[in-house]
Amino acid sequence: MQFLAESLVELITQTSTNLPPDVREAMSRALGAELPHTQSSQALNIIASNIDMAAEDEGAICQDTGMPTFYVHTPIGVNQIAIRKAIRAAVAEATKLGKLRPNSVDSLTGKNSGDNLGAETPVIHFEQWEHDEIEVKLILKGGGCENKNIQYSLPCDLEHLGKAGRTLEGVRKCILHAVWQAQGQGCAPGALGVCIGSDRAHGYDLAKNQLFRTLDDVNPNPDLARLENEIMEEANRLGIGAMGFGGKVSLIGCKIVAANRLPASFFVSVAYDCWAYRRLGVRLDAASGAITQWLYRDPTRPVEKMAQGSGFPLTGREIVLRPPITEEQVRALKVGDVVLITGECYTGRDAVHAHLVKNPLPEGVDLRGAVLYHCGPVMLQSGDQWTVKAAGPTTSSREEPYQADIIKNFGVRAVMGKGGMGRKTLAALQEHGAVYLNAIGGAAQYYARAIDQVLGVNLLEFGIPEAMWKLHVHDFMAIVTMDAHGHSLHADVERETGGNLESLGTPEAISTH
């Protein structure tokens, strides 16, 4: 199959960089539904520009390209071992080209393989079928939304919703709760794949498989079709909005399947995907490996632009911050302010935060007055020079155990990421004079274009995503969502949407059969 490797690299590239038409259409509707000039509308405008930029430049839509997961159907007699080897080689090549971020980390040593290969990565599912062609489907689901997957065991009690029994009403409550608990941490507006029943492991697999349905299809089971429509209508009344900023659109899709279960078990498994809903597929000639058909997209049809303008039109009310930032500047900021950062900043994710609470700063690093960006970029190296290929924010809540100490010990003035942080960090912001800035999750190309230069790197032994990069940025846009006065937009939205969720719950008797 002389064209197999080329076909697989093209599948990975297009999946990472070119959002499918059904997702584009859903995001266009979301943009049209939001009130202009709101924070959710601002976020969606940036997302639309980012989608266009990624397609134009064949750059990763989101820097977190997840754990590549392939579903492969082969005719009887086709060598699946050879296809597995070809997929692994294509994943390594796409990583080398910057279409995938190196995300494969040894769970025992913490070492990043650097090429997305390792024990059980990438994930490959094989199944035979009675067709002459090979079908390969790929989904790239980032860690932020993967962490918001959730599984319920019925009967149970749910926050704001009360008792959920072994009925479709109980399932409805679980799914609504799954949307609510994600808030902005899964890069809302999101999409759900849901499995009712099965066992714990296969239920999650079936739920993820539902994400291969198109957003505009209709469930062949009329009861599940009604439930899908009901969830879409009710979830978008919660008020979570884009990035959890509050708004009219929290969900762009809900796809549900039911599977038989054990008498003693009743699981509801939910696979949460973000707005950067990256899944494509191809049919391949079984003899040559050449692409005979694309799934979910028509490559002959021009890609229509999403953005209606420049992505983020300036109003003149934006506040320019030039690090090092003073305490006086920070304490003048309040929730809702839009800032534009120009100057130096540092990235720092999980490994950097865990390192800094036990060790001094690397030589030459000074965080006094600095912006610390929760980001794991996609980087390419040529000689001694590094280039940023994608650089959106990661979910900040993972750094909650460390952030307050790092603000206190090193004088950080601005922490930037997505999804907000908790009470401990909020108290540290107030005590020490710092703010939390919410960048727009998934907008990896939009933010990469705001980075002028890579000034240096420390702790590269942690791997490219987890290293501490020193960057020079210009007009890097973010919104103050936690200020130095004890205010948190995230806490406000969670509280308000919790009330909305409560209004959608109805008492029900719990069935245990």
Side-chain angles (χ1 to χ4, degrees):
M1 289 192 283
Q2 66 267 37
F3 300 115
L4 180 59
E6 178 184 334
S7 297
L8 292 170
V9 170
E10 181 65 9
L11 171 62
I12 296 167
T13 298
Q14 291 300 321
T15 307
S16 177
T17 66
N18 198 349
L19 213 57
D22 63 315
V23 182
R24 287 171 175 270
E25 185 176 341
M27 291 302 293
S28 291
R29 288 197 300 270
L31 182 56
E34 289 295 354
L35 296 173
H37 311 301
T38 60
Q39 288 158 346
S40 278
S41 176
Q42 290 172 326
L44 287 169
N45 274 295
I46 288 174
I47 286 169
S49 290
N50 184 78
I51 293 169
D52 291 342
M53 292 172 182
E56 289 165 5
D57 295 346
E58 285 199 345
I61 296 168
C62 173
Q63 77 289 336
D64 188 352
T65 53
M67 183 174 286
T69 302
F70 295 83
Y71 290 82
V72 185
H73 284 94
T74 59
I76 296 170
V78 167
N79 187 342
Q80 294 181 351
I81 296 173
I83 294 175
R84 181 182 295 275
K85 289 175 65 176
I87 288 174
R88 289 175 60 84
V91 164
E93 178 64 15
T95 307
K96 181 180 176 182
L97 295 172
K99 308 305 179 183
L100 297 176
R101 187 178 71 180
N103 273 351
S104 181
V105 176
D106 187 300
S107 295
L108 301 182
T109 66
K111 182 175 176 55
N112 192 311
S113 70
D115 58 6
N116 272 309
L117 303 181
E120 297 300 320
T121 56
V123 177
I124 308 172
H125 300 276
F126 281 103
E127 188 172 341
Q128 287 187 332
W129 68 352
E130 293 181 335
H131 296 279
D132 294 333
E133 292 180 308
I134 299 167
E135 181 183 83
V136 184
K137 292 182 178 180
L138 169 62
I139 187 165
L140 301 176
K141 190 169 177 294
C145 60
E146 187 72 10
N147 287 344
K148 302 317 293 185
N149 291 353
I150 192 167
Q151 193 173 64
Y152 303 87
S153 178
L154 298 179
C156 66
D157 285 297
L158 299 171
E159 188 176 2
H160 297 298
L161 287 170
K163 297 184 183 302
R166 293 181 166 186
T167 63
L168 278 183
E169 170 62 13
V171 171
R172 180 188 73 90
K173 288 184 176 183
C174 290
I175 299 172
L176 290 174
H177 184 271
V179 177
W180 176 77
Q181 60 90 35
Q183 291 290 311
Q185 296 175 20
C187 285
L192 304 182
V194 181
C195 175
I196 304 168
S198 192
D199 65 6
R200 285 194 181 274
H202 193 49
Y204 262 133
D205 185 42
L206 291 172
K208 198 168 192 177
N209 239 308
Q210 286 294 289
L211 296 172
F212 283 106
R213 289 172 54 192
T214 56
L215 293 177
D216 56 0
D217 76 356
V218 177
N219 199 310
N221 182 307
D223 291 331
L224 296 183
R226 282 192 294 272
L227 182 57
E228 289 175 355
N229 290 333
E230 188 176 358
I231 293 296
M232 288 296 297
E233 193 274 328
E234 293 183 331
N236 286 324
R237 284 162 46 195
L238 290 176
I240 294 167
M243 293 297 117
F245 290 162
K248 294 180 178 295
V249 183
S250 306
L251 202 63
I252 59 171
C254 178
K255 304 299 175 183
I256 308 173
V257 69
N260 281 22
R261 59 178 178 83
L262 290 167
S265 302
F266 196 121
F267 298 113
V268 179
S269 308
V270 181
Y272 187 101
D273 210 341
C274 57
W275 69 259
Y277 184 175
R278 295 156 290 176
R279 51 100 167 94
L280 286 176
V282 288
R283 295 279 178 89
L284 305 175
D285 183 274
S288 69
I291 296 173
T292 61
Q293 179 187 348
W294 280 91
L295 308 178
Y296 308 105
R297 68 183 283 261
D298 178 0
T300 66
R301 178 181 173 182
V303 176
E304 297 177 1
K305 283 188 173 292
M306 287 274 300
Q308 300 171 356
S310 61
F312 187 77
L314 299 180
T315 65
R317 296 189 295 272
E318 295 80 17
I319 298 166
V320 177
L321 296 178
R322 300 182 185 276
I325 306 166
T326 67
E327 182 176 352
E328 182 182 16
Q329 287 176 295
V330 162
R331 293 201 181 274
L333 297 172
K334 61 184 184 301
V335 165
D337 285 339
V338 177
V339 303
L340 299 173
I341 302 165
T342 294
E344 297 177 359
C345 73
Y346 289 91
T347 70
R349 289 174 37 116
D350 308 50
V352 166
H353 280 72
H355 177 82
L356 291 184
V357 295
K358 299 177 181 178
N359 299 279
L361 290 169
E363 187 176 351
V365 174
D366 186 355
L367 293 182
R368 288 173 296 182
V371 176
L372 184 59
Y373 184 24
H374 297 162
C375 172
V378 177
M379 309 289 278
L380 287 185
Q381 187 177 22
S382 178
D384 295 332
Q385 298 298 313
W386 289 92
T387 303
V388 181
K389 303 302 291 183
T394 194
T395 307
S396 296
S397 59
R398 300 195 308 274
E399 319 314 337
E400 180 67 11
Y402 317 109
Q403 200 66 74
D405 290 332
I406 289 173
I407 291 169
K408 174 184 176 181
N409 295 340
F410 301 114
V412 173
R413 289 291 177 208
V415 174
M416 183 161 62
K418 72 175 176 74
M421 304 193 73
R423 294 179 181 178
K424 184 179 177 182
T425 298
L426 184 61
L429 300 179
Q430 190 170 11
E431 180 179 356
H432 302 292
V435 290
Y436 177 83
L437 306 175
N438 206 121
I440 306 306
Q445 295 304 310
Y446 181 87
Y447 285 119
R449 295 189 185 194
I451 298 172
D452 302 312
Q453 187 180 0
V454 179
L455 300 174
V457 61
N458 288 282
L459 305 175
L460 191 54
E461 62 269 24
F462 294 157
I464 285 175
E466 295 283 2
M468 192 174 198
W469 298 92
K470 185 178 183 181
L471 308 173
H472 190 279
V473 304
H474 70 277
D475 292 342
F476 199 102
M477 194 287 298
I479 299 172
V480 177
T481 53
M482 298 170 68
D483 62 25
H485 310 290
H487 301 136
S488 169
L489 172 68
H490 308 283
D492 292 345
V493 171
E494 183 175 344
R495 184 167 52 251
E496 182 177 342
T497 57
N500 295 339
L501 181 65
E502 194 165 325
S503 70
L504 295 173
T506 55
E508 67 163 322
I510 291 185
S511 169
T512 57
H513 303 292

